[in-house]
Amino acid sequence: MSFRTPAATDYVEDVSPGSGALPPRAWYASSDAKSLSLNGSWRLRLSPTADAEDDSFAAEGFDAGDWADITVPGHWVLQGHGSPIYTNHLYPFPVDPPRVPTENPTGDHLRLFDLPSDWPSDGGTVLRFDGVESCARVWLNGTDIGEFKGSRLPHEFAVGHLLKPGGNVLAVRVHQWSAGSYLEDQDQWWLPGIFRDVTLLHRPVGSALDFFVHASYDHLTETGTLRVDSDVDGRVSLPALDIDVATGASVTVPVRPWTAETPRLYDGELVTEGERVPLRVGFRTVALEDGLIKVNGRAILFKGVNRHEWHPVKGRALDMETMREDVLLMKRHNINAVRTSHYPPHPAFLDLCDEYGLWVIDECDLETHGFTEQAWRDNPVDDDRWTPALLDRAARMVERDKNHPSVVIWSLGNEAGTGRGLTAMAEWIRGRDDSRLIHYEGDLNCRDTDVYARMYADHAEVETIGRGLDGGALKRRQLPFILCEYGHAMGNGPGGIADYQRLFESYDRIQGGFIWEWIDHGIADERYGFAYGGDFGEELHDGNFVCDGLLFPDRTPSPGLVEYKKVIEPVRIEGDGSDGTVRVTNAYDFADLSALAFEWSYQVDGETVEAGALSVPALGPGESADVKLPTPSADGRGAETRWTVRATLAAETAWGPRGHQVAWAQFPAGERALAPLAQSDAPVLGDRIITLGPAAFDARSGALKTIGGVDVTGLRLDVWRAPTDNDNGAHWQNDLRYGPLWRKLGLHRMRHRLDAVELGDDALTVRTRVAPAAWEVGLRTVYRWTSDGTRLRLTVSVAPEGDWTLLLPRLGIRLGLSGSADGVKWFGGGPGEGYPDTKSASVIGRWASTVDALQTPYVRPQENGARADVRWAELGGLRVEGDPSFWFTARRWTTEQLDAAEHLTDLTPGDTVWVNLDHGQQGIGSQSCGPGALPQYQLRAAPAEFSFVFSEIRD
């Protein structure tokens, strides 16, 4: 007969949320009550299993002299103890809920502290943990005070009766895996530890316990109504509004409302017998009216991002300045909304959203995505045993964050299937707070939700939904639609977001979306620069799928963020420049244009020759005005002329300096006249060399060798690019994933067959066939060279042969220049990269850079750095002109070397700068998780002819 006795660690696999913690309550940053941060240096002992029944380390006098030092907040795996694990949705342990592996890294933490000499003896004291992954048991001075789960949620314990003036011993045992891990299968690194603040809070007699600030706004009367419900009676004052009322009483006064565009907060206080709590009150009303999400009576358009918390060194242990940097970057890039994927953020982040102005979808710490592998069988959200844990998580989110005006929607969680537990959560939230809407993407029939949400629906489906032709449950068809995730920002991309935005602005029902996601989760690493999944020897991992953000891990904006800023700019400036008139439209939901200054400039061949202020009325939301541009005095005849109009901040704001660019547009005024190339020279055959004007060619192969004093190597047709993450697609997708198909066809190893070298009276013609081994398809390619004596023209004619069913990655020529080539100048799109469906932010002008600075440092190397719509470029003593324009790329390694690299540290500069001059590029799309490039951005194998003119740059 066998039996199992209860173990001291049974709580680890208990489906309950824990024991001993106080009821959840509203969070506030400070009050006049004393507090003591217990952040800082702690001692750590790491064990390989949870079967550490010996809790002697929690006793007073325990000698931890040989334990490691660790910083709290922090993750022990990022401080030299064990390794992080990245999975997208697969659980990195056997799925046997609620059981977890015996191999369960467990960190015993110790912190010794003294109370300040002025710590009050009256009242009580609360010990607060703001975030511990994934399960913790706590002792104070040898007394077990409880255990808890819910990693991204706060837990408080009453400890006043256990404290002493000096020598207090706080012991925390943290387990990496627990029953709670089944509820936290978010797409992120698994990082155990005490990663948010630990604080001791004095609670005086009569201190505020929980309170709920109700601050609504009536847009018809322009008044706000305030009522603060408090567990402890007191008074509420807002001096700016002459409000001084008892808790529980309502008062209505004229106010300025809070919105993400105009985040007006009124400072005040909640005063009880024992405590004064600062308040920052924003008056606003959220409602579902006419099938739309409305705030203060107006439908809003989310221009949002999904934000995981991340720092490349500290993981999810963020400080205030990092959080502020995130918010400032969002505001400066025209972002107006955040979905806190997939858990409530550090509470201070929501304070920043209140202050600077961002709409927030606050998401519960819940995801059970791994159960999709077993068709959702045993899914906790449809198992009544787990419902108390789900309700606990919902309550801890709502109670903590309920006083933030920025929070306009509660989200039940993410990718957790469906079930009774979610319904219970929705019902509880509605009973506690009916002033906000409820979101959950997996509720396709919208039984429990107020918003129809989808992930990665393609453009055609979004338009169908916008037109109300999507079918489905009647309730769903009567609800607003958002893309809670779209535009997967993995690697180079996302593409096609401008096309999405046009749909958002065309159909009232579509109320915007949230790009996935804010930041790459690369971990700073000496070997790799930034490490991703698999770099730590994980048994299961999802590679660089964790690097799918608009920011690089060091918070440098990617080209995708620059593109998104342009696509969602809140002022539309439209015109064709021919009649000198532009139409300015205010695309804000609430703000007028009085905070913006407008200016015009006039460019001749990319250089600004005139500029000035532009008078634009302070248009209200949705209003437009036609504005006349001045008559330029510059003579632009024969040149390419262009207007640029910009909207900038007229004065410094909380989030941006005076002159910060908010919106811009360019309009052609006159086209440039291409200089004709007189074909007067004939090619001359010499000893192993053919000369033509300034150029020399190999007589046998017809390969270009020099142009004047510039050596050229390897010039030939090129159709390959190092596949982007979006080219490669996602493994679960059934439609075409072009990266693998391109590789299968052999486009990365094209063979170049020389058919003929022909000398004519006015041209050198080289005939070739470019084709992959093992297949019958090919590209008949003819290079025709002509010269007027100083300049050299290349005309490339390409004719596909065979049944080409695949799109091409690119179509152009590649050539090599001396590695000493460094400085680059060009007239065309810039300053950053651009591809057919990612070049909205590409400004036509004259730009200068270096070869190294042209590279975009995607965490996993891939095609990058192309400049779009280039008229001419100069590099290494060579000038290249397009007819009329081309894509320009230059790098110190070949495409093949770029393709082979897994990390940036794999790329070593060579002795040659490889230059691509492309007639066409395949669009980028978003197929690493969403749809591929739209048809209008696809590069099909079809007959093509394109030309370049080369000349040596002479000093």
Side-chain angles (χ1 to χ4, degrees):
M1 181 177 185
S2 65
F3 64 93
R4 179 177 182 271
T5 58
T9 54
D10 279 356
Y11 64 89
V12 174
E13 296 182 337
D14 191 334
V15 298
S16 75
S19 64
L22 295 169
R25 65 189 179 101
W27 182 87
Y28 46 93
S30 64
S31 75
D32 65 345
K34 294 285 186 181
S35 67
L36 176 66
S37 172
L38 298 180
N39 295 346
S41 180
W42 290 50
R43 307 306 296 275
L44 172 75
R45 176 181 65 187
L46 189 61
S47 302
T49 73
D51 293 333
E53 295 191 22
D54 178 12
D55 57 10
S56 62
F57 81 101
E60 300 174 74
F62 180 83
D63 182 7
D66 60 346
W67 288 24
D69 289 316
I70 193 171
T71 298
V72 170
H75 308 276
W76 69 67
V77 294
L78 296 183
Q79 299 184 59
H81 307 282
S83 298
I85 299 170
Y86 168 60
T87 60
N88 167 33
H89 79 280
L90 294 175
Y91 289 105
F93 49 80
V95 178
D96 182 22
R99 305 298 301 280
V100 295
T102 300
E103 297 83 5
N104 187 359
T106 296
D108 289 336
H109 296 69
L110 274 179
R111 174 74 152 87
L112 275 61
F113 65 94
D114 299 329
L115 292 177
S117 59
D118 60 349
W119 192 265
S121 58
D122 66 311
T125 297
V126 166
L127 174 63
R128 181 182 181 91
F129 295 89
D130 278 306
V132 181
E133 183 177 329
S134 73
C135 172
R137 185 177 180 184
V138 186
W139 295 262
L140 182 61
N141 291 331
T143 299
D144 184 349
I145 61 174
E147 77 281 340
F148 62 90
K149 307 177 189 76
S151 298
R152 270 66 73 170
L153 296 162
H155 295 83
E156 293 182 333
F157 297 88
V159 296
H161 59 295
L162 300 174
L163 289 169
K164 54 186 183 178
N168 292 284
V169 179
L170 175 58
V172 185
R173 175 166 286 163
V174 180
H175 307 281
Q176 174 155 20
W177 310 123
S178 71
S181 301
Y182 284 99
L183 304 180
E184 297 172 2
D185 188 25
Q186 292 101 340
D187 175 11
Q188 60 180 346
W189 294 97
W190 298 88
L191 299 174
I194 305 172
F195 68 96
R196 286 186 185 160
D197 306 286
V198 183
T199 313
L200 207 62
L201 301 167
H202 177 238
R203 310 309 298 136
V205 173
S207 61
L209 296 178
D210 190 25
F211 61 93
F212 196 161
V213 177
H214 303 273
S216 61
Y217 178 72
D218 187 329
H219 64 282
L220 298 176
T221 62
E222 298 184 342
T223 57
T225 298
L226 176 69
R227 186 185 81 247
V228 178
D229 295 332
S230 176
D231 288 355
V232 176
D233 291 342
R235 296 195 67 81
V236 176
S237 63
L238 270 65
L241 297 176
D242 293 326
I243 290 177
D244 187 349
V245 297
T247 54
S250 294
V251 58
T252 300
V253 295
V255 298
R256 290 167 54 196
W258 187 97
T259 74
E261 297 166 5
T262 56
R264 181 65 166 94
L265 293 172
Y266 292 91
D267 291 328
E269 274 189 328
L270 165 63
V271 181
T272 65
E273 176 190 352
E275 189 174 18
R276 307 177 75 91
V277 180
L279 301 178
R280 303 201 78 188
V281 178
F283 291 87
R284 58 107 186 92
T285 294
V286 183
L288 179 62
E289 295 178 352
D290 306 318
L292 298 173
I293 303 167
K294 292 187 178 181
V295 178
N296 302 337
R298 291 186 181 179
I300 60 175
L301 186 63
F302 292 120
K303 303 171 182 179
V305 291
N306 286 274
R307 175 187 177 267
H308 269 298
E309 295 184 301
W310 188 250
H311 187 280
V313 175
K314 301 176 182 178
R316 287 189 286 277
L318 299 189
D319 57 27
M320 190 67 170
E321 286 313 304
T322 300
M323 291 185 277
R324 189 184 304 275
E325 184 179 358
D326 278 349
V327 171
L328 292 177
L329 280 167
M330 290 176 188
K331 294 292 290 186
R332 290 169 184 169
H333 287 86
N334 294 329
I335 290 164
N336 73 358
V338 177
R339 176 178 174 229
T340 68
S341 53
H342 297 295
Y343 42 82
H346 190 293
F349 179 76
L350 297 179
D351 280 345
L352 295 169
C353 294
D354 293 343
E355 177 182 352
Y356 291 99
L358 289 167
W359 308 117
V360 174
I361 296 181
D362 197 358
E363 192 147 272
C364 195
D365 191 9
L366 172 62
E367 180 166 339
T368 64
H369 199 176
F371 285 91
T372 190
E373 295 299 312
Q374 55 201 59
W376 298 107
R377 187 176 60 258
D378 298 327
N379 185 12
V381 305
D382 200 27
D383 184 334
D384 292 338
R385 295 176 301 162
W386 295 81
T387 299
L390 303 184
L391 291 173
D392 180 76
R393 289 171 183 250
R396 291 189 181 279
M397 172 183 71
V398 171
E399 301 295 10
R400 192 195 77 167
D401 298 341
K402 59 182 177 282
N403 294 328
H404 290 283
S406 57
V407 177
V408 293
I409 296 176
W410 301 117
S411 178
L412 301 179
N414 182 69
E415 292 177 321
T418 57
R420 292 162 286 176
L422 289 171
T423 299
M425 292 170 69
E427 290 176 349
W428 185 90
I429 292 173
R430 286 197 174 94
R432 179 58 173 145
D433 176 26
D434 62 359
S435 69
R436 295 175 172 94
L437 306 183
I438 292 179
H439 163 274
Y440 177 67
E441 181 268 343
D443 185 9
L444 292 181
N445 287 326
C446 301
R447 179 183 65 179
D448 299 320
T449 57
D450 301 308
V451 180
Y452 177 32
R454 290 284 304 282
M455 297 177 181
Y456 308 108
D458 63 25
H459 300 76
E461 184 177 3
V462 170
E463 182 163 22
T464 298
I465 293 169
R467 296 171 62 192
L469 302 177
D470 50 308
L474 175 62
K475 179 186 177 184
R476 188 182 84 183
R477 286 184 278 117
Q478 294 173 334
L479 293 180
F481 174 79
I482 63 170
L483 278 169
C484 64
E485 294 180 21
Y486 83 109
H488 198 251
M490 186 177 178
N492 187 335
I497 56 175
D499 305 271
Y500 273 117
Q501 192 65 25
R502 281 190 284 271
L503 294 172
F504 298 166
E505 295 177 5
S506 298
Y507 298 98
D508 292 342
R509 184 189 179 191
I510 305 174
Q511 293 196 250
F514 296 78
I515 294 288
W516 185 270
E517 63 157 307
W518 177 237
I519 187 169
D520 288 342
H521 302 199
I523 295 176
D525 185 277
E526 290 184 0
R527 297 166 296 171
Y528 303 125
F530 292 111
Y532 50 77
D535 289 337
F536 299 96
E538 300 101 305
E539 184 178 59
L540 293 174
H541 67 85
D542 285 288
N544 68 311
F545 202 70
V546 76
C547 294
D548 46 12
L550 294 169
L551 295 179
F552 296 123
D554 62 0
R555 281 183 162 73
T556 300
S558 76
L561 181 57
V562 177
E563 175 81 356
Y564 194 41
K565 175 186 177 180
K566 171 60 180 169
V567 166
I568 61 175
E569 59 190 11
V571 182
R572 297 295 184 210
I573 306 169
E574 301 167 301
D576 62 12
S578 60
D579 62 356
T581 301
V582 296
R583 167 155 286 202
V584 178
T585 300
N586 180 353
Y588 285 110
D589 292 324
F590 296 93
D592 63 25
L593 299 188
S594 59
L596 301 180
F598 289 79
E599 59 189 44
W600 62 271
S601 59
Y602 186 71
Q603 290 81 39
V604 175
D605 280 341
E607 291 189 302
T608 297
V609 295
E610 295 180 70
L614 188 65
S615 179
V616 175
L619 301 169
E623 294 181 346
S624 299
D626 292 328
V627 180
K628 189 70 175 177
L629 295 168
T631 302
S633 59
D635 182 3
R637 286 177 294 180
E640 181 176 345
T641 54
R642 186 173 299 272
W643 293 99
T644 303
V645 177
R646 294 183 171 88
T648 63
L649 291 179
E652 182 179 3
T653 69
W655 53 265
R658 180 178 180 271
H660 168 79
Q661 183 170 284
V662 173
W664 63 273
Q666 288 188 310
F667 317 104
E671 296 183 0
R672 67 185 177 123
L674 297 176
L677 187 70
Q679 297 178 8
S680 57
D681 280 19
V684 177
L685 177 62
D687 182 18
R688 294 180 293 180
I689 293 292
I690 298 171
T691 58
L692 177 62
F697 300 81
D698 182 271
R700 290 177 59 86
S701 65
L704 177 66
K705 298 177 67 68
T706 62
I707 299 176
V710 179
D711 292 334
V712 180
T713 185
L715 188 151
R716 62 185 188 180
L717 187 78
D718 194 12
V719 298
W720 178 245
R721 72 184 186 194
T724 68
D725 292 314
N726 287 305
D727 290 337
N728 285 332
H731 66 84
W732 63 82
Q733 293 169 332
N734 294 322
D735 51 353
L736 292 177
R737 297 166 53 218
Y738 282 101
L741 291 174
W742 289 337
R743 201 178 300 277
K744 179 180 178 181
L745 182 60
L747 298 188
H748 62 305
R749 50 175 175 77
M750 299 289 274
R751 305 293 178 85
H752 296 254
R753 186 185 73 204
L754 178 64
D755 287 342
V757 177
E758 302 171 351
L759 279 69
D761 292 339
D762 60 356
L764 169 65
T765 302
V766 180
R767 302 185 184 277
T768 70
R769 188 176 189 269
V770 182
W775 304 99
E776 65 176 353
V777 296
L779 299 170
R780 184 74 63 179
T781 305
V782 178
Y783 306 91
R784 188 173 189 272
W785 298 93
T786 59
S787 176
D788 63 359
T790 58
R791 295 182 298 162
L792 181 71
R793 178 187 291 275
L794 167 63
T795 300
V796 182
S797 301
V798 179
E801 296 180 337
D803 185 15
W804 280 90
T805 58
L806 281 184
L807 305 175
L808 294 176
R810 69 177 350 130
L811 182 65
I813 61 169
R814 179 173 78 171
L815 58 94
L817 299 175
S818 164
S820 63
D822 185 38
V824 183
K825 296 180 181 179
W826 75 97
F827 172 25
E833 72 182 24
Y835 291 82
D837 54 350
T838 68
K839 63 175 186 172
S840 299
S842 189
V843 183
I844 301 299
R846 293 202 188 195
W847 306 102
S849 181
T850 63
V851 170
D852 292 340
L854 289 177
Q855 314 312 306
T856 303
Y858 295 113
V859 175
R860 186 192 73 80
Q862 56 198 269
E863 167 61 35
N864 74 90
R867 269 49 181 184
D869 303 314
V870 174
R871 280 70 166 154
W872 56 257
E874 295 180 346
L875 170 66
L878 193 66
R879 179 182 173 98
V880 184
E881 297 174 72
D883 185 8
S885 65
F886 55 94
W887 270 274
F888 169 76
T889 311
R891 52 177 68 104
R892 298 188 186 279
W893 35 77
T894 65
T895 299
E896 291 74 19
Q897 291 168 328
L898 182 64
D899 184 22
E902 296 294 332
H903 297 85
L904 290 171
T905 51
D906 296 333
L907 292 169
T908 302
D911 296 331
T912 302
V913 172
W914 292 98
V915 179
N916 277 91
L917 310 174
D918 290 320
H919 169 67
Q921 275 271 0
Q922 164 70 7
I924 297 298
S926 172
Q927 201 169 6
S928 52
C929 195
L934 288 167
Q936 60 267 35
Y937 306 121
Q938 294 174 354
L939 181 60
R940 302 190 179 279
E945 184 173 283
F946 48 94
S947 297
F948 304 100
V949 175
F950 301 89
S951 56
E952 184 182 9
I953 302 171
R954 301 183 181 277
D955 295 333

